Amino acid sequence: MRLVLVGPPGAGKGTQAQYIASNLSIPKISTGDIFRANVSGGTDLGKLAKTFMDRGDLVPDEVTIAMVRDRLSEDDAQDGFLLDGFPRNVAQAEILRDMLKDWGLALDLVLELVVDDDEVVRRLAGRRTCSQCGRIWHVEFDDKKDDKCDACGGALFQRDDDKEETVRHRLEVYQEQTAPLVSYYAGEDILVGVDATGPVEEVTQRAMEAIRPYLG
Ligand code: ADP
Ligand code: ADP
């Protein structure tokens, strides 16, 4: 299964990607996570990406695409993958399509997580991430009073780009650059919308129901 998750920042892509990828036994490939790992590791790629991420802008396509090409070439991605946060504009989508075509492959399905702006802002304002295992939590919805990860005990942190001003800009970037992907993939006839409101487990169930008809 070759799958892409699309949706605004805060829609729950990372959260759902954890469960969907594990249900389908495919790797979850999150470009945001790979960039953040490079930022904390102080690599050249991290240094370059950080200036764009801090502003809430997209990292340039050539850098992002090269990184995804390398990741998709790894052994664990040969029988399927779930992309979270890539592609993020039509140019990236076209290059992904061509890249897969060169390898004799194509995407099976694009799931759009649908949630309104107010909910997205509430979700982003309370998002916390585990510095050790990367798991995503929410201060209010997960009732996180301490700053510890329930899964591994690691310290939770708030992402720099989840500050209110940056969030506003990221939502604009989504509307301008990423939202056009929805009609692009509808045109390719591989788009399915999933209602991403309500409890996490219910959203996962809806996503798995949407995926089922496409499983071989
Ligand atoms: P969110 O989960 O809130 O949508 P991500 O973790 O996916 O955010 O991305 C964080 C930041 O990493 C983005 O604001 C952008 O700067 C960069 N980034 C992630 N994926 C891409 C991509 N496909 N193209 C360009 N920049 C990206
Ligand atoms: P994205 O990757 O699309 O930016 P995340 O998966 O990081 O979104 O989720 C953003 C925040 O919303 C996180 O704090 C997460 O715990 C929370 N969240 C995700 N899904 C739900 C849901 N169904 N109900 C309530 N909160 C959610």
Side-chain angles (χ1 to χ4, degrees), residues 9 34 67 107 171:
I34 305 177
M67 183 178 88
L107 289 178
L171 291 172

Side-chain angles (χ1 to χ4, degrees), residues 3-21 28-33 36 82-88 110-115 120 123-124 127 136 159 170-171 174 178 181 194 196 200 203-204 207:
L3 195 67
V4 165
L5 281 188
V6 191
K13 299 181 299 296
T15 302
Q16 294 303 326
Q18 297 172 153
Y19 297 113
I20 297 170
K28 154 178 118 75
I29 300 178
S30 159
T31 42
D33 285 352
R36 278 185 292 279
L82 193 170
L83 281 167
D84 154 30
F86 181 92
R88 234 177 172 100
V110 176
L111 285 186
E112 181 198 4
L113 296 186
V114 183
V115 37
V120 152
R123 287 185 183 181
L124 288 176
R127 169 157 65 187
I136 305 156
R159 280 170 44 176
R170 284 162 63 212
L171 291 172
Y174 178 79
T178 311
L181 278 182
V194 173
V200 171
V203 180
T204 309

